[in-house]
Structures are given as structure tokens and as C-alpha cells.
Amino acid sequence: FVLYRSYLWMPGLMIFIALLMQKRGVNFSQRRAVMVAGLIILLLLPLAWNRLWVFADNYRLWNEAAMLLPNDKVAGADRIFYNRAQALGAMQKWDEAAKDYEKVVAISPQLFQVRQALGTAYFNAVRYQDAITQFDAGIALKPDDGRLYLGKAQTLMRLKSPEAAQLNLKKACELKEPIACMIVGFSTIKK
């Protein structure tokens, strides 16, 4: 994660090595210096290639970070699991994403955004009752967020509870959730 910071200190390190070698009286010919530099590049190439491979994909990046955690209690572990769950969700691996969101809820139960994300993962994994539970928990934490009511409404529609879904849609619309307002408006036109 600090790869970009190497640009700040790497030139200074190279200058320091050159100054150190000059003071010690080490004298490289230009040909020998080029050979040593080429050898160093060849030795570092596999490491650089591996880093580029990991950083090229959002899931691989956060998965490696999660694998390097000594335990779930480390500060920032919730962020790592959340970001890996987001990457899994983008890949539509909802059960795996839900497991990571569950870890985040265990670490930081006060974050309503995680409850919403976990509810969405459950919804997409066709675990509707679990989704309702998470949306309700999110609403308890932040009752003025329309996205939670919208998620609950969509889940209730799948559970064949149109009246309860309509109530949640109206609440979401009252809280200025535009998609909910469009659905409520469309359903009143349809009647």
C-alpha cells in the first residue's frame, strides 16, 4: 500500500549509496556498473511483477491484505474485510461477500453502511429474512437514511409483502431517496 511513497525516498537512497561508495574509495567502471545494475534489476523483477499482479485487481489486493492480517482484532481489519467484500460483490460472489461483511459487523457493529451492504449481499444471495434483519438493524442505527428503507422494500417485494414494501418505499421517498420516489410515483400512475 505504500508503493507510491517509494518515489519519495528511492532517489535519496541511490544518491546516498553513490556518496558512500565514493567515500570508501570504491571505483566501478561504467561497464561493471551497468552489469551490477542489470543484475539488481533481474533480481528485483519477480518481486515487482508479483506486486503489479496483486495491485492490478481490486479483489487480489484486498484478499492479500486480509491474508496478511495476524487476526481480526488488528486496527483497520474492518476496512480490509469491507473492501474485499465490495470486490466480491462486484464479482457477484454474494455468499463470500456476506461472510466478509459479517466479519465487519462483528468488528464494527455501529456502522449502518455495513448493515446496508450486508443486507444487499443477503438479498442478492436470496437470503431474504437475513436481509430484512440487516436492513432493520441499519434503520435502528440511522433511521433517516432512505437507502435502508428502499433495500427493505425491495426485499419485502421478493417476500410477497407488497403492503409492507409500499410503506417502506413511501418512507424512503419521504427521506428523499429518488429511486423510491420514482417507484412510488410509478405505482400511483399504474393504479
Side-chain angles (χ1 to χ4, degrees):
F1 297 115
V2 294
L3 181 66
Y4 71 96
R5 292 186 185 149
S6 68
Y7 299 126
L8 300 175
W9 57 265
M10 191 56 78
L13 179 63
M14 294 300 124
I15 292 170
F16 175 74
I17 290 172
L19 289 173
L20 187 65
M21 291 174 71
Q22 186 180 18
K23 277 191 173 183
R24 302 241 182 225
V26 177
N27 188 9
F28 275 125
S29 66
Q30 188 175 13
R31 181 181 173 109
R32 186 179 283 174
V34 168
M35 287 176 47
V36 168
L39 183 62
I40 290 171
I41 289 171
L42 284 176
L43 291 173
L44 294 177
L45 190 62
L47 292 173
W49 192 263
N50 177 267
R51 294 296 85 205
L52 290 172
W53 182 80
V54 168
F55 276 78
D57 180 78
N58 206 21
Y59 171 74
R60 287 192 299 246
L61 173 71
W62 293 108
N63 187 50
E64 181 172 287
M67 290 187 320
L68 293 173
L69 287 173
N71 60 54
D72 295 354
K73 305 289 187 256
V74 173
D78 53 350
R79 178 177 178 227
I80 291 170
F81 290 125
Y82 181 83
N83 287 328
R84 184 171 70 174
Q86 292 284 91
L88 286 164
M91 296 163 45
Q92 297 185 351
K93 295 182 178 183
W94 299 110
D95 288 320
E96 293 175 56
K99 288 177 186 173
D100 273 350
Y101 286 130
E102 289 166 359
K103 290 178 184 178
V104 178
V105 167
I107 297 167
S108 301
Q110 75 284 2
L111 298 174
F112 78 93
Q113 300 95 330
V114 179
R115 300 293 184 149
Q116 178 191 355
L118 180 54
T120 302
Y122 284 152
F123 174 84
N124 288 311
V126 193
R127 294 173 56 184
Y128 299 130
Q129 290 301 330
D130 292 329
I132 293 287
T133 302
Q134 291 307 313
F135 288 127
D136 284 339
I139 290 168
L141 292 169
K142 187 156 173 77
D144 61 341
D145 191 307
R147 296 171 296 181
L148 294 161
Y149 292 97
L150 176 61
K152 184 176 179 181
Q154 291 172 321
T155 308
L156 288 166
M157 289 298 279
R158 292 284 173 92
L159 289 171
K160 309 285 188 233
S161 299
E163 295 83 17
Q166 194 67 21
L167 288 173
N168 281 279
L169 280 172
K170 286 180 181 175
K171 181 65 175 174
C173 184
E174 289 171 15
L175 295 170
K176 310 275 191 267
E177 184 59 39
I179 295 172
C181 293
M182 289 189 321
I183 295 170
V184 167
F186 181 72
S187 65
T188 57
I189 292 171
K190 226 168 101 172
K191 291 179 183 177

